[in-house]
């Protein structure tokens, strides 16, 4: 497998088909291209990583992260990651664990004092084993109604 940042060509390499395995998603080419181009200006702080099957060229895993500069902790930074998904046919091959390890290594490269992810309770053993992530406190959210 090859682990790398998302490319524009990945729209045709299975990236849109991967996302509905995580959550509701109907990513059109137009929306993908627009968002991809928008995020280029933030590429130092926001990235999408993918795992590509070298034999097929198919994107079989992905995770997205951003680095948040803070005022606290001596103006430190926090890496947040989410949208981690591995294609069902490729699960239990270490791809998800590798993506978590890559992200936690990137957090150290950026000098982040912590690396955060929201998760469902049943996935906590995976995150603890994959990257040493431990439950800290609760995460709260409000979901706004959108047309997306």
């Amino acid at each position: 497998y090859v682990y790398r940042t998302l490319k524009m060509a990945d729209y045709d390499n299975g990236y849109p088909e991967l996302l509905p395995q995580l959550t509701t998603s109907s990513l059109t080419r137009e929306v993908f291209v627009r968002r991809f181009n928008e995020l280029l200006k933030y590429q130092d702080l926001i990235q999408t990583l993918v795992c590509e099957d070298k034999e097929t060229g198919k994107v079989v895993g992905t995770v997205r992260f951003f680095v948040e500069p803070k005022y606290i902790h001596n103006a430190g930074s926090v890496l947040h990651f989410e949208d981690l998904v591995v294609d069902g046919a490729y699960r239990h091959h270490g791809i998800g664990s590798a993506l978590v390890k890559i992200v936690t290594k990137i957090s150290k490269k950026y000098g982040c004092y912590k690396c955060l992810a929201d998760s469902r309770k049943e996935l906590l053993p995976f995150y603890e084993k994959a990257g040493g992530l431990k439950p800290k406190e609760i995460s709260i959210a409000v979901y706004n109604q959108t047309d997306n």
Side-chain angles (χ1 to χ4, degrees):
Y1 301 111
V2 175
Y3 297 89
R4 58 172 175 74
T5 57
L6 182 71
K7 298 177 186 175
M8 183 76 75
D10 289 329
Y11 186 86
D12 296 316
N13 295 332
Y15 184 75
E17 292 80 25
L18 194 56
L19 300 180
Q21 296 182 53
L22 175 67
T23 190
T24 304
S25 178
S26 56
L27 187 62
T28 66
R29 181 180 302 276
E30 177 185 359
V31 171
F32 175 82
V33 168
R34 183 176 67 239
R35 181 53 46 101
F36 186 92
N37 288 326
E38 286 172 1
L39 290 172
L40 284 176
K41 60 185 161 197
Y42 304 110
Q43 63 188 345
D44 289 341
L45 297 177
I46 303 172
Q47 291 186 26
T48 302
L49 303 178
V50 299
C51 173
E52 176 187 330
D53 181 331
K54 285 193 295 189
E55 293 179 14
T56 65
K58 180 181 177 184
V59 173
V60 298
T62 186
V63 66
R64 186 172 166 72
F65 72 86
F66 70 93
V67 176
E68 176 191 9
K70 307 283 269 184
Y71 286 105
I72 60 174
H73 291 277
N74 295 317
S77 296
V78 174
L79 186 141
H80 300 262
F81 72 94
E82 61 182 0
D83 301 343
L84 173 66
V85 62
V86 175
D87 184 283
Y90 289 81
R91 291 183 187 154
H92 307 290
H93 292 189
I95 294 168
S97 295
L99 288 167
V100 171
K101 287 175 183 161
I102 291 167
V103 167
T104 55
K105 185 175 180 180
I106 290 170
S107 76
K108 292 173 185 171
K109 176 186 145 202
Y110 276 96
C112 296
Y113 66 90
K114 68 179 170 181
C115 184
L116 298 173
D118 286 326
S119 178
R120 296 188 316 266
K121 284 183 183 180
E122 63 268 19
L123 294 176
L124 288 176
F126 163 77
Y127 284 106
E128 288 174 342
K129 183 179 176 187
L133 282 85
K134 305 276 185 223
K136 184 174 186 296
E137 295 176 17
I138 63 167
S139 176
I140 56 176
V142 64
Y143 288 88
N144 299 312
Q145 294 291 347
T146 65
D147 294 334
N148 300 346

